[in-house]
Amino acid sequence: MLAVVLGAIRARRAQAATLFLLTALAVAAATAAPWYVVSAARSVAVADVTGAPAIQRVVLAGARVEGSPDVVAKVRAEMSRVVDIPGASGTASVRVSAQLAHEGVKQAATAAYRDEMCAHLTIAGSCPAAEGDVLVSDRTATRFGLATGDRAALSIAGRSPVELRVTGTYQLRDPLGPYWAASALGRASGTDTSAGAGDPVFTTAETVAAVGAAELFAEYHVVVPVEAYLGIDGYDLAAEIDRQQDTSGAQWRVESRAPALVSRVEREQWLVNLGVSIAAIQLLLLCWFALFFAVRHSAEQRRPDIGWLKLRGGARWRVWALVFQQSVLPMLAGAVVGAGAGVGLARLLGEVDADRAGVAASLSLAAGGAAVLGALVAAVAADRGGMGAGVIDLLRHVPARRRGWRADVIDLVVVVVAVAGVYQAYVTDRDPGESTGLVLVAPALVALAVALVAARAIGPLAVRAGHRALRAGRLPLAMAATHLARRPGTHRVFALLAVSVALLGAAASGWLAAATARDERAAHDLGADRVLTVQARSRDHLLAAVRAADPAGSQAAAVVRNGTGEAGQVVLAVDTERFARVARWQEGYGPGLPELLQRLRPEAPAPVLVGDGPLALDAELVEPPEAPSGQGEGGEPTPGIPVRAVVHFVTAGGLPLTVDSGPLTAGRRSYQMDLSGCGGRCRLAAVELAGPDSGGETPPDRTVRIHALSGGAGQVGEAVEAGRWRGSARVDTRGPTVAAAGGVLELTTPPQDMPTGVNRSGVVYLVDSPVPLPVAHTRFASASGTPGDPRLSIFGGDEVPVRFSGAVTALPRVTGRGFLVDLEYANRLAVDAGLGDEAQVWLAPGAPDGIADRLREQGLVVLADDSIGSALGRYAEQGPPLALRFQVIAGVLGVLLAALALAVAAAVERPDRSAELSALRAQGLSLRAVRLIGYGGYAALVVAGVAIGIAAAALGGGLVEAAMPVFVDDWKVLPLSTGPQPLALLVAGLGGLAVLGVTGALAAAQLVRASGGGRP
């Protein structure tokens, strides 16, 4: 019997080869899908964790503990038992708030020790090794004038100072990394104009304990490894952190944002599992249908064989065995090859964790087995019709045209169920951010419903077209149409072609929409083609450094982003003169950028620039009549509280510079000072009437008249113009009163008695920026302040008066409400330290790599370097793109399956059709007519199937706009085009037309050749 079966397979080798390929494709897809899911689940987890903010990768435990020499060891021993994460090691730290003093300069400081701190610092000098050894930041060293080997003092109230020896200076190494994340020791503004406020003094644990504080603040800091987020061996990181928080006790507080990252990873993995599973099931069903179709058509050629076997009295089981093995043997061979190909393909798709390789293998084996079982069931179901037919019907060359009612009912039921499913998916899709299996399968349901309805219309339409062509004398068209109408399998072929092309079109459309959305988001999240996150000594330094590194102003722009304001509002301060040339301003943001930037930078009084050299201040201290007098320098009477005139400048490099007149004496005199370090020109920023001590209170009720300020280039005329000076912009601060008469500027400090909550200041600022400050705002962004006096905290500190000069829909790097301001003007108006400033340099496309080195030469520290290309790479590793990638692959395989099914149908009908056409050729039918009949019939079927498939894909995309979420976090800052994508549908249609068209053309060529097309 086996020899007979093998002989039958050789006689119909084309059909057998097609069954082999169809089964191999089905089993390969089914086998590879589980490996792809497991690999993609690992890939998205690793991508999420490595790309997440460092603060989401740490667990931090904090408490106040009793000060003692062995406090660090106690902290480490106690918390290492509570915060215990596999593969992670913790670092303990202790700190105390104190006062640092050196040569009369005092400043609040934090003295701290932390395990492994020197490995995460860039040190100029040596690491502290003994009690009293300290490291100070570069900014603190600049403020205090400290150098390696200098002495300083650290003290708290009520305790004797601890003598310190400076062993070196430091900068944080990778301050955005996980070691410093969440810890107060790593918090520092990117543009700290206070020159070191908040920078800790790193020392030994013994030094911290020696300060004598009754309590120290302790932290235990754990960096969570990537493996902990992967759920290896069932490990639940979020549940473990909850347990740690419950068992840490009342003293310790355990905090972590890792659970939010765990939730994100789990959702991405769920989307991958759902998207890939749905695509694999759709492809598998398509494979089964194609196999059923191929076996059913192959059975048409076996009908005479079955009829003769029955006529000769062959046993039913023998007939079944002979027939069934002709399909089963090629399919089993295809299953073996497909399983091997699927496993090989899975190995190429990505890495699988060792602990999950067994699970992936089991799932792959089960899926492959299901694919084989389904293929065999489809084969049995396809052969069943021929086995149950009568002998007379089996021996007919053309099957009877009568159809049973069961097929019509089944098609109707399938269409009704598909329409109901599509409606439910449409309703579900109205809920943003939700993605269910029904929503994902909706495009396939639409394609199925449309294809079945259109397939039922093929026959009647072909009949009508054939009658008209026959009446018109167009014989080739009439015969081609008649063939489509009379072959009972035509509607199945058409439905298969349409569904496969529709699935490819839907997958391609979803992929293109998601790719476009990722491009838009990358441009929004970065703001420019490339962005450097830097640390500067001040905002002036940032501006000056960027302008010096890019003198032409076409490649780089300074940007400061601050999100420490109220209600999550973000302020984006930019160098408006350069911003338009580097920013990726998108249409969805609103009005044209150049016009908007012009409104943000109106004309303002010019800055006052002074060069290095002697500086003379012609000033007069007016002594109040009731003030007690003493004997001053030169025998002149002076007030009881000395007052100094401090002139504040900003150097060309953006650094603060002050010159001090020393104590003013009563009466008018000239005070000689030396201005050096400007690096060319210094910008006059402010004049301060200060007390005798640095950082002390402003003397009350003191009046100073400034007659002139002159440098090497001559008189500074603006120094005596009252209109060029203003007090503090803060509502809770009162500065000197400003008056002018006869070319003399008169400054009077606030009185002794001040209203509650109002601070006294002796500083007046030169007016060289517009007041109020013009700002552009997004929708729903609002300023604080009283009605008619809107105010905004630009840099997380002082609120300054603003006026609205433009509205936009969104701003780069701002996910919600935000403001856009000119950085230079805002910096001159808001002179606070800049809490939470994120300093950046935005680079234009084509900016040379060497610009980062030029920025470093200007004193900027580059903390991070990101680009749109890198962002796109991160987005491509998220769950939705990986699922969409598999859907596109499944769509391509689906079209190949349809092509194979079309080849089977052509091979089965070729003998009968070639015989018909050969007979007509003998009766005078021209070769041209034969070619038109052969090629035209397949062309009509393919073109109609592709057109209906693309139409179904467009309809499905319109009903369910985003079956797979574009972003796992449902990002919708800008409107995303998630409906049908014309370009993708066009490409899918052309691709389907090419594959199916080539298949149809080859089938037509073989038909023409078999019909005697080679004879003239």
Side-chain angles (χ1 to χ4, degrees):
M1 182 182 295
L2 181 59
V4 176
V5 173
L6 294 177
I9 292 175
R10 283 195 297 269
R12 301 183 179 96
R13 60 176 62 91
Q15 293 91 320
T18 303
L19 291 178
F20 173 86
L21 291 175
L22 285 172
T23 309
L25 280 175
V27 175
T31 304
W35 287 92
Y36 184 87
V37 168
V38 175
S39 172
R42 184 187 192 281
S43 177
V44 298
V46 172
D48 278 344
V49 176
T50 55
I55 198 171
Q56 292 185 336
R57 298 175 55 192
V58 299
V59 179
L60 185 68
R64 292 186 179 276
V65 297
E66 182 179 354
S68 64
D70 60 347
V71 61
V72 175
K74 291 180 178 179
V75 170
R76 193 183 302 116
E78 180 179 357
M79 293 313 296
S80 61
R81 293 191 297 269
V82 177
V83 185
D84 183 17
I85 296 176
S89 60
T91 56
S93 65
V94 290
R95 67 178 188 270
V96 62
S97 296
Q99 187 179 63
L100 181 66
H102 174 68
E103 295 182 354
V105 181
K106 298 178 181 180
Q107 179 178 294
T110 298
Y113 166 81
R114 184 174 177 182
D115 294 337
E116 305 173 10
M117 62 184 185
C118 290
H120 295 273
L121 299 172
T122 300
I123 300 174
S126 61
C127 185
E131 182 177 332
D133 289 353
V134 295
L135 286 172
V136 297
S137 70
D138 288 346
R139 295 185 292 189
T140 301
T142 300
R143 170 154 178 94
F144 282 86
L146 288 169
T148 300
D150 286 349
R151 300 285 177 170
L154 189 71
S155 62
I156 61 174
R159 297 284 184 175
S160 300
V162 175
E163 186 176 354
L164 305 177
R165 183 178 69 88
V166 178
T167 62
T169 60
Y170 75 86
Q171 287 184 348
L172 298 184
R173 182 181 298 172
D174 190 19
L176 304 181
Y179 179 85
W180 299 107
S183 174
L185 300 180
R187 295 172 189 164
S189 171
T191 59
D192 191 352
T193 55
S194 63
D199 288 350
V201 174
F202 286 108
T203 183
T204 62
E206 293 79 7
T207 306
V208 175
V211 174
E215 286 186 333
L216 304 177
F217 193 87
E219 289 181 343
Y220 189 74
H221 187 278
V222 175
V223 179
V224 182
V226 174
E227 291 73 17
Y229 293 88
L230 303 182
I232 298 176
D233 295 331
Y235 182 76
D236 189 338
L237 177 60
E240 176 62 21
I241 292 176
D242 287 341
R243 184 197 66 77
Q244 294 170 3
Q245 292 174 335
D246 293 338
T247 60
S248 59
Q251 179 185 10
W252 287 89
R253 182 177 180 180
V254 177
E255 297 178 333
S256 178
R257 298 187 187 180
L261 182 55
V262 172
S263 298
R264 177 188 175 94
V265 169
E266 290 176 347
R267 183 164 189 245
E268 292 220 47
Q269 291 179 333
W270 177 78
L271 286 174
V272 171
N273 294 341
L274 183 63
V276 174
S277 299
I278 292 296
I281 291 173
Q282 289 178 173
L283 180 60
L284 196 57
L285 291 174
L286 203 62
C287 288
W288 288 344
F289 181 77
L291 283 167
F292 173 84
F293 177 81
V295 175
R296 186 69 174 266
H297 271 69
S298 297
E300 299 293 333
Q301 288 189 331
R302 294 196 293 266
R303 291 173 68 89
D305 298 342
I306 298 173
W308 285 112
L309 287 172
K310 285 188 174 184
L311 186 63
R312 294 177 180 179
R316 184 177 181 83
W317 69 269
R318 185 178 294 274
V319 175
W320 262 108
L322 288 172
V323 172
F324 192 52
Q325 288 182 73
Q326 294 182 45
S327 300
V328 170
L329 292 180
M331 291 169 65
L332 290 178
V336 173
V337 174
V343 173
L345 177 62
R347 296 294 185 181
L348 297 176
L349 293 177
E351 181 182 354
V352 175
D353 292 321
D355 71 309
R356 295 188 178 179
V359 175
S362 300
L363 292 174
S364 181
L365 181 61
V372 174
L373 180 61
L376 296 178
V377 171
V380 172
D383 276 326
R384 183 176 177 276
M387 294 300 300
V391 173
I392 296 177
D393 188 47
L394 289 170
L395 295 177
R396 289 169 54 96
H397 285 284
V398 179
R401 291 187 59 193
R402 64 179 183 273
R403 293 174 49 84
W405 57 271
R406 294 181 181 84
D408 296 331
V409 171
I410 291 175
D411 285 355
L412 178 61
V413 170
V414 170
V415 171
V416 171
V417 172
V419 171
V422 171
Y423 174 75
Q424 186 63 35
Y426 173 80
V427 174
T428 305
D429 192 51
R430 300 304 95 188
D431 188 6
E434 291 296 325
S435 181
T436 64
L438 187 59
V439 172
L440 288 176
V441 84
L445 294 177
V446 173
L448 183 60
V450 171
L452 288 177
V453 172
R456 288 298 179 183
I458 285 290
L461 291 176
V463 170
R464 178 172 296 183
H467 288 168
R468 289 187 177 181
L470 195 59
R471 286 195 298 268
R474 303 171 66 181
L475 183 60
L477 177 58
M479 293 190 66
T482 302
H483 173 72
L484 290 176
R486 63 194 277 257
R487 300 301 294 182
T490 299
H491 73 287
R492 298 191 189 97
V493 177
F494 176 82
L496 183 59
L497 299 184
V499 170
S500 64
V501 173
L503 292 180
L504 176 60
S509 184
W511 173 261
L512 181 60
T516 303
R518 291 195 297 271
D519 289 339
E520 293 178 357
R521 178 170 184 175
H524 173 84
D525 287 354
L526 269 294
D529 189 71
R530 182 182 172 196
V531 174
L532 305 178
T533 301
V534 301
Q535 188 176 63
R537 298 186 181 93
S538 66
R539 293 185 291 271
D540 283 303
H541 177 214
L542 175 67
L543 274 168
V546 175
R547 291 173 177 176
D550 176 30
S554 59
Q555 298 175 346
V559 175
V560 173
R561 181 182 182 274
N562 191 288
T564 58
E566 296 181 359
Q569 295 185 146
V570 175
V571 176
L572 202 65
V574 304
D575 188 349
T576 54
E577 296 180 342
R578 299 160 171 254
F579 188 69
R581 292 189 284 271
V582 302
R584 290 284 293 269
W585 189 264
Q586 304 187 57
E587 293 183 3
Y589 291 154
L593 182 59
E595 294 78 12
L596 179 65
L597 296 178
Q598 287 180 0
R599 293 198 296 271
L600 297 182
R601 191 174 176 85
E603 291 187 5
V608 175
L609 302 177
V610 180
D612 288 331
L615 186 68
L617 175 67
D618 186 354
E620 176 185 359
L621 175 62
V622 179
E623 183 180 358
E626 67 279 9
S629 299
Q631 199 70 16
E633 182 180 352
E636 297 177 351
T638 61
I641 302 178
V643 62
R644 299 175 298 127
V646 180
V647 187
H648 295 265
F649 295 92
V650 177
T651 70
L655 302 180
L657 180 65
T658 60
V659 290
D660 193 336
S661 67
L664 300 180
T665 57
R668 178 180 177 181
R669 58 169 293 185
S670 179
Y671 298 88
Q672 303 297 319
M673 298 170 285
D674 181 52
L675 179 61
S676 61
C678 287
R681 290 283 183 176
C682 280
R683 176 176 63 86
L684 177 61
V687 172
E688 178 182 6
L689 302 182
D693 298 326
S694 175
E697 290 189 1
T698 301
D701 297 309
R702 306 309 306 273
T703 299
V704 175
R705 293 171 182 162
I706 298 178
H707 294 265
L709 180 66
S710 58
Q715 293 285 342
V716 180
E718 291 84 348
V720 295
E721 295 181 10
R724 289 300 307 269
W725 300 94
R726 62 170 178 84
S728 173
R730 298 182 54 162
V731 294
D732 62 349
T733 300
R734 181 174 173 182
T737 59
V738 181
V744 176
L745 178 68
E746 185 175 283
L747 306 177
T748 303
T749 61
Q752 178 68 50
D753 297 329
M754 298 292 293
T756 303
V758 178
N759 300 316
R760 185 189 306 108
S761 171
V763 184
V764 289
Y765 301 91
L766 186 73
V767 176
D768 50 8
S769 64
V771 183
L773 181 71
V775 301
H777 63 98
T778 62
R779 293 174 296 180
F780 309 116
S782 59
S784 59
T786 59
D789 183 25
R791 288 179 173 266
L792 183 65
S793 175
I794 303 293
F795 302 111
D798 299 347
E799 289 189 341
V800 299
V802 297
R803 60 181 174 86
F804 299 121
S805 299
V808 294
T809 303
L811 290 170
R813 297 187 67 87
V814 179
T815 57
R817 294 174 290 181
F819 298 89
L820 184 68
V821 300
D822 180 84
L823 175 57
E824 189 170 30
Y825 283 169
N827 179 51
R828 293 176 183 177
L829 187 60
V831 295
D832 54 291
L835 303 176
D837 282 352
E838 184 180 4
Q840 294 181 331
V841 181
W842 290 13
L843 302 179
D849 293 337
I851 196 168
D853 295 330
R854 297 204 298 268
L855 291 170
R856 292 186 183 95
E857 292 172 359
Q858 298 299 323
L860 297 183
V861 179
V862 178
L863 305 178
D865 187 347
D866 203 358
S867 66
I868 289 180
S870 299
L872 289 174
R874 293 192 297 270
Y875 300 150
E877 293 301 318
Q878 293 179 350
L882 293 179
L884 288 171
R885 187 183 307 165
F886 189 87
Q887 291 176 7
V888 173
I889 295 173
V892 172
L893 293 177
V895 173
L896 294 177
L897 289 172
L900 290 174
L902 178 61
V904 169
V908 168
E909 68 181 11
R910 187 177 303 123
D912 291 339
R913 290 202 67 195
S914 63
E916 295 171 359
L917 293 175
S918 295
L920 292 173
R921 280 279 285 148
Q923 298 176 37
L925 187 68
S926 66
L927 176 59
R928 179 177 179 275
V930 171
R931 289 174 176 170
L932 288 176
I933 292 170
Y935 285 96
Y938 288 112
L941 186 63
V942 169
V943 170
V946 171
I948 294 297
I950 294 300
L955 178 61
L959 293 176
V960 183
E961 291 188 355
M964 175 65 65
V966 178
F967 300 109
V968 71
D969 58 356
D970 302 323
W971 183 89
K972 291 183 179 178
V973 176
L974 297 173
L976 302 178
S977 175
T978 55
Q981 306 294 307
L983 179 60
L985 293 177
L986 177 61
V987 172
L990 293 176
L993 190 62
V995 174
L996 299 176
V998 169
T999 304
L1002 292 175
Q1006 291 177 334
L1007 175 62
V1008 171
R1009 190 179 303 112
S1011 303
R1015 300 191 304 270

